[in-house]
Amino acid sequence: MEQVWKLTATEIAAAVRTKKLSATEVTKAHLQRIADVNAKINAVVQEFPEEALQAAREVDDAISRGEDPGVLCGVPLTIKVNVDQQGHATTNGLRLQENLVAEHDSPVVSNLRKAGGVIVGRTNTPAFSLRWFTKNELHGQTLNPRNKAVTPGGSSGGAAAAVAAGLCAVGHGTDIAGSIRYPAYACGLHGLRPTIGRIPAYNASAPDRFIGAQLMAVSGPIARSISDIRLSMAAMTAPDLRDPWYVSAPMTGGNFPKRAALTVAPDGMPVADEVRAALYDAADKLRAAGWTVEEIDCPPMQPAAEINARLWMADTQFGARDMIDREADPDARFVFEQMSKDIGEVGFDELMKALQTRATLVRQWELFLQDYPILICPVSGELPFTQQQDVSSQDAFAAVFEAQLTQRALPAIGVPSLAVDTGEADHRPVGVQLVGPRFREDILLAAGTDIENAGRPVAVADPDWD
């Protein structure tokens, strides 16, 4: 069998279940890969090998007793440091939270454990999980194992870098404005932002979040194959009553028409030629797989992106401004200042109007996605950005912000979306984004599988720049 750390989660789970590999062997291989590679990319920032090996032994013991350990069955995973994992600090990239040790697992961590997953480390995020780049004053900067000059994305940049480099098979990420989809895109992977309420979330280490995060923030998987996204999502979605937004919806919603819309430049956003080419190529792959694809305009995204900014900044201005000052992370402070300047101070009137407009947009999108169960659109208008591009100047930040229109818009609408890797252009990963109706992630995964099957498998990256 090839190097174990190159196997997908689906392959690992099958091999462990049939005793071709033990969970302990798999875990040791990934811990060794972390030891060999992580120092080059700084993706995993909290390690606990003995804890991981104990979890693996428990999976092996269950199998030896003839029990089913769960769908993940020994699959090595990482957890982002902004989510509670018992016994470890929920830092969110902050020196202020370096010692904020969780007493309980969050629902998503608990669900991954119950499914037989083995957590091998916790991954980096920018301070406050505020950027599409991953660097902070506590844990340092994460590099992209496919190209160190390029951002690994953010805020789940550590998760994506870890999956791309083979440190784990699946990375847990969170997404309020692209933080799963963009790192997947930047690292040449697949990443699913599920419907709000699909995967239960809760951090007992902190107060409940404000309305923007409650309406827009989700957890989800980043992986090297669509089958791994499907497998890990099945584990993550187990019920947990600690999340009042959780919805116990079926994983599949029945038959659907294989009809897709292609919108190359939503709301006329600037789109690089390489991104356009990837979108047309993905549309052709779906047509070859029996889909009808029509190039049309999708409902408006710019108003949804403005709602995202208002809700996000309402939360941050109200609840985190003082922490941003006290943390004094220069990049987080710069981004917060630019976003506040762009959207202004969000008061009660602005918040109420944003929530009112949101209902109108959700209605428009639901009707559109009833006719077109898949929308193909950019993940970003540009190829993955150069490291630290957003904080290099005010103009650079504005250009990055504009390129991320779809990243910002879709969370405000509440629909699920999937970043699908399609290859490389100009030595940088490239891919497309699929959007579907609420609670129809199964349609996204079906279309994503058709695109994946017509391409080439995602390879593990070897950061060999020494």
Side-chain angles (χ1 to χ4, degrees), residues 221 225-235 251 442 445-446 449:
S225 77
I226 299 295
S227 65
D228 288 2
I229 296 288
R230 182 181 288 106
L231 189 73
S232 48
M233 182 189 164
M251 292 292 291
D442 58 319
L445 296 174
T449 298

Side-chain angles (χ1 to χ4, degrees), residues 190-459:
H190 312 305
L192 175 67
R193 176 197 159 82
T195 310
I196 189 79
R198 169 67 86 177
I199 293 173
Y202 168 61
N203 275 352
S205 66
D208 280 318
R209 303 180 76 178
F210 298 114
I211 190 62
Q214 289 190 36
L215 287 174
M216 299 191 298
V218 299
S219 282
I222 297 171
R224 295 191 298 271
S225 77
I226 299 295
S227 65
D228 288 2
I229 296 288
R230 182 181 288 106
L231 189 73
S232 48
M233 182 189 164
M236 290 180 175
T237 55
D240 194 307
L241 295 180
R242 289 177 291 171
D243 184 355
W245 287 94
Y246 176 75
V247 177
S248 184
M251 292 292 291
T252 58
N255 295 332
F256 57 88
K258 296 181 73 172
R259 187 165 57 243
L262 169 65
T263 305
V264 174
D267 290 23
M269 66 180 287
V271 177
D273 290 344
E274 298 90 342
V275 176
R276 287 176 177 270
L279 291 164
Y280 284 117
D281 181 63
D284 287 343
K285 287 174 179 173
L286 286 183
R287 290 189 183 101
W291 292 74
T292 299
V293 182
E294 182 180 350
E295 186 171 359
I296 60 170
D297 290 335
C298 66
M301 285 205 187
Q302 188 61 47
E306 291 171 3
I307 289 169
N308 178 292
R310 283 192 171 86
L311 294 178
W312 195 4
M313 284 300 98
D315 285 8
T316 308
Q317 291 167 1
F318 179 74
R321 192 194 304 265
D322 177 63
M323 281 190 70
I324 290 174
D325 288 340
R326 286 189 290 122
E327 179 66 24
D329 181 288
D331 297 335
R333 181 176 284 172
F334 178 84
V335 169
F336 175 64
E337 289 172 353
Q338 298 308 306
M339 291 184 70
S340 291
K341 184 169 66 175
D342 178 71
I343 206 66
E345 289 293 316
V346 183
F348 179 78
D349 289 353
E350 291 82 10
L351 179 60
M352 294 299 286
K353 289 175 182 176
L355 292 170
Q356 181 185 41
T357 304
R358 178 181 179 274
T360 302
L361 290 171
V362 168
R363 184 181 303 111
Q364 290 177 332
W365 276 89
E366 281 296 298
L367 293 170
F368 176 81
L369 292 169
Q370 186 176 40
D371 291 334
Y372 298 94
I374 285 292
L375 167 67
I376 313 164
C377 68
V379 180
S380 171
E382 300 291 338
L383 293 176
F385 307 121
T386 300
Q387 283 278 23
Q388 295 295 96
Q389 183 174 329
D390 63 332
V391 295
S392 60
S393 70
Q394 293 185 16
D395 288 345
F397 177 85
V400 166
F401 210 58
E402 182 179 37
Q404 303 296 72
L405 175 64
T406 66
Q407 299 292 295
R408 298 182 288 123
L410 294 169
I413 301 160
V415 291
S417 45
L418 175 69
V420 180
D421 169 70
T422 60
E424 190 176 276
D426 194 26
H427 307 292
R428 302 186 183 213
V430 69
V432 301
Q433 183 166 208
L434 306 179
V435 184
R438 286 183 295 175
F439 297 104
R440 291 307 307 265
E441 290 86 356
D442 58 319
I443 304 178
L444 296 179
L445 296 174
T449 298
D450 286 339
I451 294 172
E452 178 184 57
N453 287 343
R456 85 291 179 263
V458 174

